[in-house]
Amino acid sequence: MPGSGHPLYLFLCVWSAVALGVSAEEHCPARQHEDQSYVAAVYEHHSILSPDPLALVSRTQALEVMNRNLDVYEEQVMLAAQQAAQIIVFPEDGIHGFNFTRTSIYPFLDFMPDPQLVQWSPCLEPHRFNDTEVLQRLSCMAIKGDMFLVANLGTKQPCHSSDPGCPSDGRYQFNTNVVFSSNGSLVARYRKHNLYFEAAFDSPAQADHTVFDTPFAGRFGIFTCFDILFLEPAVRLLVQDAAVRHVVYPTAWMNQLPLLAAIQIQSAFAVAFGINLLAANIHHPTLGMTGSGIHTPLKSFWHHDTEGSHGRLLVAPIARNPPGLPGIKNDPGEGDPAHRKFLKVLAGGPPCDQAVREDSCDPSWQAKAPLVFHAEMMYDNFTLVPVWGMEGSVQVCAGSLCCYLRYQRPTLTQELYALGVFEGLHTVHGTYYLQVCALVKCGGLGFDSCGQEVTEAEGLFEFYLWGNFSSSYIFPLFLTSGMTLERPDQLGWEEEHYFLRKKSLTSGLVTAALYGRLYERD
Ligand SMILES: *[C@@H]1O[C@H](CO)[C@@H](O)[C@H](O)[C@H]1NC(C)=O
Ligand SMILES: *[C@@H]1O[C@H](CO)[C@@H](O)[C@H](O)[C@H]1NC(C)=O
Ligand SMILES: *[C@@H]1O[C@H](CO)[C@@H](O)[C@H](O)[C@H]1NC(C)=O
Ligand SMILES: *[C@@H]1O[C@H](CO)[C@@H](O)[C@H](O)[C@H]1NC(C)=O
Ligand SMILES: *[C@@H]1O[C@H](CO)[C@@H](O)[C@H](O)[C@H]1NC(C)=O
């Protein structure tokens, strides 16, 4: 971070004040800024791929391909350094590529010792271990840029037949993230636990719970791509160690709308855990891979581009101690009629035809007979009801989960929206148990189009969305028109229900969903 005399200082400081939603006057005086924020960078990389990932190549040929990617990394480190970045994150598969077999990836693998057992700066001691060319370059870049550096590479670790888990070829092959400190020393490694159909790699027998400490922002956690959907290690790491307020997250994520676009799950994770998530995706739009961001609980700086074939560096100052979104407990909304009404509904105000006193019921609940239908959303059979008219209240249930929506709209648009519920085991492209309440814009005007991929929308809503989840891990997925992100105004538990409230949207709503995970039923 530049000192207050540095020309970048005021610019970065005002920028971070906006990001944090605080006044620049209060935020920026003298050294205060240096104490409260740090500068993070992520790079979405268009990786140069091996022409044929199935072919067997020599180590020299493998290094040729990887060095071309590392040349780009080095440029980006220097650009980030000019913007005073203190940490940079590069994506999963960015150096070696993907679609390898176990055999064909072998020449691309570096040997890596366990940084907990070995103190090592690959740049300063290049000859200490063989087959560490990639680690050496990364370590030198960290020194050159004077910043922490996080990157993903393939690693190999010889094993003996006495180890029951040892593969028959006598080695483990891991999809590995490495962290270098600004002096080039290897401070952490994380081996991906939840592999996503990656035949080339092994999953470690025990999940790594990897953290590292930095002088500028305290403790970071680290995991990779698909890991974000599972208890181990991602959620357990955050639940067990409250000192982790930042996560670095290399990913190679294929966007899947309407619920799991890359930037959507990234920002939802930052909001759900009240942490900063530094997420770097690779950039291969033809494979649906794009979407990176520096996500704080209150705001995201993101990049999502399906057109170009270039990388993108994001640099932003963010809080050392990220503040969370207001929940109901610290903002009871006293005197806010909409919120009082919401609380009354939660408390179980009866339908009007059964109510003793008019003011204790809500006429809109029973006004329209619910028109329930089924449609497939991301391979799951959702139960839905249409969301029609300028205002209303709808509910829909499946399994043990009931989802509710109260909404008002300033204008009607020529679009169909629906409220959907799903509870069950998702089994396509991974197996995981879900509880989901989702307000989505449908692909067209037919019910069967609800759940289709859309990115543009005009519908503005003011709404409460809630459900009686049995999961305690609920990710608020929020996506607006043109792949933009907004934050809920309020989020939290109230009377056994988890709710999300949004008063005004600045662009049309694509998805507002509460995406609950029941890890114990996977
Ligand atoms: C990698 O494999 C996927 C799925 O098999 C395929 O769709 C894709 O085209 C492949 N990509 C490259 C770069 O070979
Ligand atoms: C590296 O490889 C060379 C050639 O195979 C070998 O002679 C040397 O002992 C190895 N060095 C280490 C540190 O393993
Ligand atoms: C390099 O940085 C690491 C982590 O910040 C620290 O533990 C180590 O002592 C440093 N090494 C040297 C030689 O300064
Ligand atoms: C979805 O679930 C409903 C209710 O269980 C069932 O009637 C319908 O056939 C299912 N649809 C599909 C495509 O499986
Ligand atoms: C959610 O509410 C519905 C309807 O009141 C009820 O049948 C269901 O058991 C509730 N689920 C849980 C987990 O409490």
Side-chain angles (χ1 to χ4, degrees):
M1 192 63 222
S4 55
H6 193 287
L8 263 176
Y9 173 78
L10 192 62
F11 171 63
L12 291 175
C13 186
V14 171
W15 188 8
S16 73
V18 173
L20 300 167
V22 298
S23 98
E25 289 71 31
E26 276 171 34
H27 186 58
C28 296
R31 297 183 53 81
Q32 198 185 350
H33 176 64
E34 286 176 87
D35 295 333
Q36 294 182 348
S37 62
Y38 68 102
V39 182
V42 302
Y43 183 62
E44 178 161 315
H45 178 52
H46 177 76
S47 32
I48 298 153
L49 299 170
S50 177
D52 178 7
L54 301 179
L56 290 179
V57 300
S58 65
R59 174 74 175 164
T60 309
Q61 288 169 308
L63 284 170
E64 258 166 38
V65 173
M66 294 195 288
N67 275 320
R68 290 174 65 198
N69 286 307
L70 289 165
D71 291 344
V72 178
Y73 281 26
E74 192 165 332
E75 277 167 31
Q76 298 303 322
V77 166
M78 295 324 290
L79 288 171
Q82 285 167 20
Q83 296 176 66
Q86 289 158 294
I87 184 167
I88 188 166
V89 184
F90 290 102
E92 184 187 23
D93 299 342
I95 299 171
H96 54 281
F98 40 80
N99 284 12
F100 294 98
T101 65
R102 184 173 180 87
T103 317
S104 72
I105 203 169
Y106 186 71
F108 292 81
L109 305 178
D110 265 37
F111 168 75
M112 201 181 66
D114 182 346
Q116 292 197 307
L117 305 176
V118 176
Q119 288 250 336
W120 180 40
S121 169
C123 186
L124 303 181
E125 303 167 77
H127 304 297
R128 187 152 162 201
F129 303 101
N130 282 332
D131 293 338
T132 56
E133 291 87 343
V134 174
L135 293 172
Q136 289 165 33
R137 281 205 69 183
L138 293 170
S139 161
C140 293
M141 282 178 215
I143 295 175
K144 208 169 155 193
D146 189 23
M147 68 183 73
F148 274 61
L149 183 148
V150 181
N152 172 274
L153 75 164
T155 63
K156 58 184 177 184
Q157 185 182 311
C159 52
H160 291 122
S161 49
S162 59
D163 168 359
C166 185
S168 56
D169 53 13
R171 60 179 186 259
Y172 289 106
Q173 300 188 168
F174 295 117
N175 174 336
T176 305
N177 298 335
V178 286
V179 183
F180 293 96
S181 103
S182 52
N183 65 22
S185 62
L186 182 62
V187 293
R189 64 131 194 228
Y190 167 76
R191 298 165 302 176
K192 187 179 184 183
H193 191 68
N194 299 282
L195 295 171
Y196 189 78
F197 308 100
E198 294 163 76
F201 292 118
D202 303 304
S203 174
Q206 296 260 303
D208 290 340
H209 289 166
T210 304
V211 297
F212 59 96
D213 293 313
T214 65
F216 53 84
R219 185 159 294 177
F220 282 70
I222 182 168
F223 49 83
T224 309
C225 199
F226 200 36
D227 286 329
I228 203 166
L229 293 181
F230 297 90
L231 182 69
E232 280 289 4
V235 170
R236 184 148 285 161
L237 188 72
L238 290 161
V239 170
Q240 284 179 352
D241 189 347
V244 175
R245 306 303 312 280
H246 316 270
V247 169
V248 288
Y249 178 61
T251 187
W253 190 276
M254 287 187 216
N255 286 295
Q256 203 178 5
L257 290 162
L259 300 177
L260 290 180
I263 56 172
Q264 200 181 7
I265 185 70
Q266 292 162 14
S267 57
F269 195 91
V271 173
F273 287 100
I275 52 129
N276 293 327
L277 183 76
L278 316 185
N281 199 358
I282 50 173
H283 186 78
H284 292 277
T286 53
L287 300 173
M289 292 164 159
T290 177
S292 304
I294 296 172
H295 306 274
T296 80
L298 300 183
K299 185 183 170 86
S300 288
F301 302 85
W302 75 89
H303 175 65
H304 175 102
D305 166 33
T306 52
E307 308 282 307
S309 57
H310 298 288
R312 169 70 76 86
L313 180 69
L314 297 175
V315 182
I318 54 173
R320 273 178 84 122
N321 289 304
L325 278 182
I328 188 65
K329 300 292 181 252
N330 47 20
D331 180 8
E334 295 282 334
D336 175 346
H339 200 71
R340 277 209 308 271
K341 198 162 185 186
F342 166 68
L343 293 178
K344 197 161 69 185
V345 172
L346 278 190
C352 283
D353 52 0
Q354 298 162 20
V356 182
R357 283 174 42 223
E358 262 277 307
D359 68 347
S360 67
C361 75
D362 174 8
S364 55
W365 277 116
Q366 298 285 31
K368 298 180 210 77
L371 182 51
V372 176
F373 63 96
H374 294 273
E376 191 174 287
M377 193 182 316
M378 299 184 33
Y379 308 101
D380 294 321
N381 185 356
F382 273 69
T383 307
L384 302 103
V385 289
V387 173
W388 280 329
M390 301 283 284
E391 63 180 320
S393 306
V394 288
Q395 62 173 314
V396 62
C397 304
S400 71
L401 177 64
C402 284
C403 302
Y404 307 84
L405 175 75
R406 294 178 63 85
Y407 61 96
Q408 273 192 316
R409 305 184 58 182
T411 51
L412 285 179
T413 55
Q414 294 283 325
E415 295 169 306
L416 174 63
Y417 281 86
L419 174 68
V421 59
F422 175 74
E423 166 158 19
L425 192 63
H426 175 96
T427 55
V428 179
H429 303 155
T431 301
Y432 40 93
Y433 197 97
L434 295 175
Q435 281 196 321
V436 185
C437 292
L439 168 61
V440 292
K441 182 192 153 171
C442 305
L445 296 178
F447 287 168
D448 58 353
S449 75
C450 297
Q452 287 178 358
E453 302 213 341
V454 286
T455 55
E456 306 302 317
E458 290 168 20
L460 298 178
F461 285 81
E462 179 173 325
F463 65 94
Y464 277 93
L465 171 68
W466 72 99
N468 64 346
F469 291 84
S470 25
S471 160
S472 25
Y473 297 104
I474 298 158
F475 300 92
L477 302 174
F478 215 143
L479 195 65
T480 45
S481 192
M483 296 303 290
T484 57
L485 296 172
E486 294 205 22
R487 289 292 184 265
D489 294 330
Q490 265 179 319
L491 196 63
W493 290 98
E494 188 65 49
E495 306 266 355
E496 326 263 298
H497 291 77
Y498 195 81
F499 79 97
L500 180 164
R501 179 192 197 185
K502 187 71 182 171
K503 273 194 209 162
S504 66
L505 289 168
T506 51
S507 50
L509 183 70
V510 173
T511 308
L514 295 170
Y515 191 81
R517 283 282 285 112
L518 274 177
Y519 301 112
E520 64 275 23
R521 294 211 207 154
D522 283 359

